[in-house]
Amino acid sequence: MSFPVHRPRRLRKTELLRSLVRETRLSAANFIYPMFVCPGSNVRQEVNSMPGVFQQSADKIVEDCRDVESLGISGVILFGLPETKDPRGASSLQKAGVVQRAIEAIRKAKLNLVVSTDVCLCEYTDHGHCGVIENGEVANDATLEILAEQSLSHARAGADIVAPSDMMDGRVAAIRKKLDANNFQDLPILSYAAKYCSGFYGPFREAADSAPQFGDRRSYQMDPANAREALKEVALDLEEGADMIMVKPALPYLDIITRVRQEFSVPVAAYNVSGEYSMVKAAAQNGWLDEKRAALEILTGIQRAGADIILTYHAKDAARWLKD
Ligand code: PBG
């Protein structure tokens, strides 16, 4: 039976009807807002390629976090712009490191936010790679202990979730073991399990000052052409003890989000990355797109594809728009 018995337009007639049958509903409770912490105090510097996104000192981060909390957003993820960089990313392990101090400041302000941290070396190494370099290559095993120590340091500062984004093999196991050995057996790991080597990280590398100084990340981040491999990466990270997994970027990888959602029963996060944000911003500033419509459509698409959690620079805007 089809037309004229079936007329799908019947259920599109009014906003009330459309709302009644709507399958996907965005909520700020599922958003995580990424933030960039820099040294100093009273610093709030807008990122050129990401209008509305700032590098901020810990005091300003706390102020911003109050907004984030009041908008009903569940959490933030912190990235660090350290004072110093070296080949091994030592500044990522300091008790008084930028991220550690920001976590403590947020904790002190008693904000009702889940504080996650990005665990990686690229922001802290002078060469900008996500692991240490041996014989001109990013060395996997030599990097694991540093990532584990970094996670522990974030945990000690008061992080609620650690989120490794480096794409070294075995890092989830190394982090889990280190946390468990130090009484952090209850601290969840959100692993960037299917992280692709993407052109859409461009603006982030300006925001986090983390562009590789030689070569690229193809030897550790995934080839954009591969889907089965993403399922393997997710399965491995879950075996190693990841509590939640992430697909990143989001838009060119909606199929991956869907497949991961179907095959695994853990919470799936998707990272609506910097380039995806900047494209919308740039087009909107030129009057080519309606920012609110485009951004909400993108976020809806990411959730519809199967993401439970969305990391997005549009989190605050979207939370406001959802309230209107
Ligand atoms: C690496 C990291 C990157 C992003 C998050 N963690 C960049 C990279 O792999 O080069 C990208 C996020 C974004 O583009 O918004 N620590």
Side-chain angles (χ1 to χ4, degrees), residues 79 118 120 122-123 165 192 195 200-201 204-205 217 221 248 271 273-274 313:
F79 296 91
D118 185 80
C120 196
C122 66
E123 301 132 60
S165 69
Y192 289 65
K195 176 172 176 182
F200 289 93
Y201 305 149
F204 172 92
R205 291 181 186 169
R217 304 209 201 287
Q221 298 182 346
K248 176 186 171 188
Y271 201 141
V273 301
S274 59
Y313 303 97

Side-chain angles (χ1 to χ4, degrees), residues 21-197:
V21 300
R22 191 156 292 144
E23 299 174 35
T24 309
R25 238 178 259 282
L26 288 172
S27 161
N30 299 113
F31 295 157
I32 293 181
Y33 185 56
M35 305 181 93
F36 300 97
V37 195
C38 65
S41 62
N42 205 23
V43 184
R44 186 170 154 89
Q45 169 83 32
E46 192 164 27
V47 178
N48 231 330
S49 53
M50 300 180 74
V53 172
F54 298 83
Q55 299 172 339
Q56 305 182 87
S57 48
D59 53 328
K60 290 287 174 186
I61 290 274
V62 172
E63 273 180 34
D64 207 358
C65 279
R66 285 187 209 284
D67 268 357
V68 174
E69 181 197 41
S70 71
L71 287 164
I73 295 165
S74 290
V76 297
I77 182 163
L78 303 177
F79 296 91
L81 292 127
E83 221 134 356
T84 58
K85 302 193 187 216
D86 67 14
R88 301 181 58 80
S91 55
S92 72
L93 309 178
Q94 293 164 347
K95 199 166 174 300
V98 272
V99 165
Q100 289 83 348
R101 287 191 40 229
I103 303 167
E104 281 162 11
I106 298 170
R107 288 276 86 102
K108 224 167 121 194
K110 302 223 178 306
L111 298 174
N112 197 22
L113 286 175
V114 177
V115 179
S116 321
T117 58
D118 185 80
V119 171
C120 196
L121 296 197
C122 66
E123 301 132 60
Y124 306 93
T125 50
D126 48 12
H127 47 73
H129 276 289
C130 304
V132 296
I133 307 293
E134 285 176 359
N135 306 319
E137 288 187 6
V138 175
N140 194 85
D141 299 17
T143 302
L144 300 182
E145 177 61 18
I146 307 178
L147 295 167
E149 284 293 341
Q150 189 184 128
S151 303
L152 178 58
S153 171
H154 292 170
R156 285 188 170 136
D160 296 307
I161 295 175
V162 289
S165 69
D166 51 281
M167 286 301 277
M168 298 302 116
D169 295 329
R171 92 276 206 199
V172 173
I175 292 169
R176 188 70 273 160
K177 197 166 152 217
K178 178 71 74 181
L179 292 175
D180 289 4
N182 288 276
N183 283 323
F184 288 105
Q185 61 281 345
D186 293 327
L187 194 89
I189 299 175
L190 163 60
S191 117
Y192 289 65
K195 176 172 176 182
Y196 286 88
C197 192

